[in-house]
Amino acid sequence: MDCVDSEGRCDVRAASRTGPTSAKIVVAGGFGAGKTTFVGSVSEIVPLTTEAVMTDASIGIDDTGHTPSKTTTTVAMDYGRVTLDDDLVLYLFGTPGQQRFWFMWDDLVRGAIGAVVLVDTRRLADSFAPVDFFEDRGLPFVLGLNCFDGVLHHGVSDVRAAIGIGPDVPVVPCDARDRESVKQALITLVEHAMRRWASAGGAEPVRQTVGG
């Protein structure tokens, strides 16, 4: 793609003159936060998942207290695709949630324009490490407050204060099971990432990725 520079970034305005632009988005969060559901509910293709059946070996390691019906877990990544506009296609990469698989995260986020960090508001502490990960790497992210059973257990301002993020980071209540709700979270992330790169004086942060 002609608009891609040496660092892989692409100016949206130039891209619109040369054809569709693709961008990579990471969907992260703690164990059981809803990442696989999030990717699957919005993907236009049959999502690629790496779900494995949970066994007795995970007892005492994976906390299923708030997700008693959960019988599988992601051990590598989830992958899906969604078209947000005629000239913008997003490729979604869901991370594994368990800490023992976090060594994969650096590879999964390479080339991404930003991330949605899914939060189970019943377990806010599970979000601290993912937030620190993206803050340390300077990658734009939004918090998606996943409303399990349609209930938001803590308000947006309370979550923002508890996790300790600044006012510039969008916090979006969402339902990982609902396609339109997920799309809105993704739109919020893309807009946030574009503002971040614009304020830094760089090209607008849409990158050509696999399939672009």
Side-chain angles (χ1 to χ4, degrees):
M1 186 177 292
D2 293 341
C3 65
V4 178
D5 64 20
S6 60
E7 296 183 353
R9 289 196 297 269
C10 178
D11 189 305
V12 174
R13 289 161 298 198
S16 66
R17 297 191 294 270
T18 59
T21 301
S22 58
K24 179 179 180 179
I25 300 291
V26 173
V27 181
F31 172 74
K35 301 177 292 297
T36 299
T37 301
F38 185 98
V39 172
S41 67
V42 77
S43 180
E44 300 163 342
I45 61 174
V46 176
L48 168 67
T49 63
T50 54
E51 292 276 282
V53 176
M54 297 176 64
T55 67
D56 291 344
S58 68
I59 295 175
I61 299 175
D62 298 326
D63 180 10
T64 59
H66 289 286
T67 55
S69 61
K70 186 173 178 61
T71 59
T72 61
T73 185
T74 299
V75 295
M77 70 172 188
D78 301 312
Y79 172 78
R81 184 190 72 201
V82 59
T83 302
L84 283 189
D85 203 347
D86 291 340
D87 58 359
L88 179 57
V89 179
L90 300 183
Y91 292 91
L92 309 178
F93 290 76
T95 66
Q98 303 97 314
Q99 189 170 356
R100 63 185 181 278
F101 295 131
W102 284 2
F103 67 90
M104 303 178 190
W105 283 32
D106 276 316
D107 287 333
L108 287 175
V109 304
R110 187 172 294 118
I113 67 166
V116 176
V117 178
L118 279 182
V119 177
D120 181 348
T121 56
R122 302 168 299 181
R123 298 176 290 144
L124 290 179
D126 290 355
S127 307
F128 296 163
V131 166
D132 288 344
F133 177 90
F134 293 109
E135 287 183 336
D136 289 346
R137 286 153 182 78
L139 192 69
F141 67 94
V142 303
L143 287 189
L145 307 187
N146 195 3
C147 299
F148 284 85
D149 300 320
V151 177
L152 185 64
H153 291 271
H154 300 286
V156 169
S157 59
D158 293 334
V159 172
R160 185 184 296 279
I163 296 180
I165 58 172
D168 58 313
V169 178
V171 180
V172 186
C174 66
D175 185 337
R177 303 165 300 180
D178 182 76
R179 177 179 172 84
E180 291 305 314
S181 180
V182 170
K183 285 183 69 174
Q184 187 56 54
L186 293 171
I187 290 169
T188 300
L189 171 61
V190 171
E191 292 174 344
H192 174 56
M194 291 175 69
R195 288 193 299 268
R196 275 278 304 273
W197 283 97
S199 65
E204 293 178 77
V206 174
R207 305 170 187 255
Q208 185 182 26
T209 59
V210 176

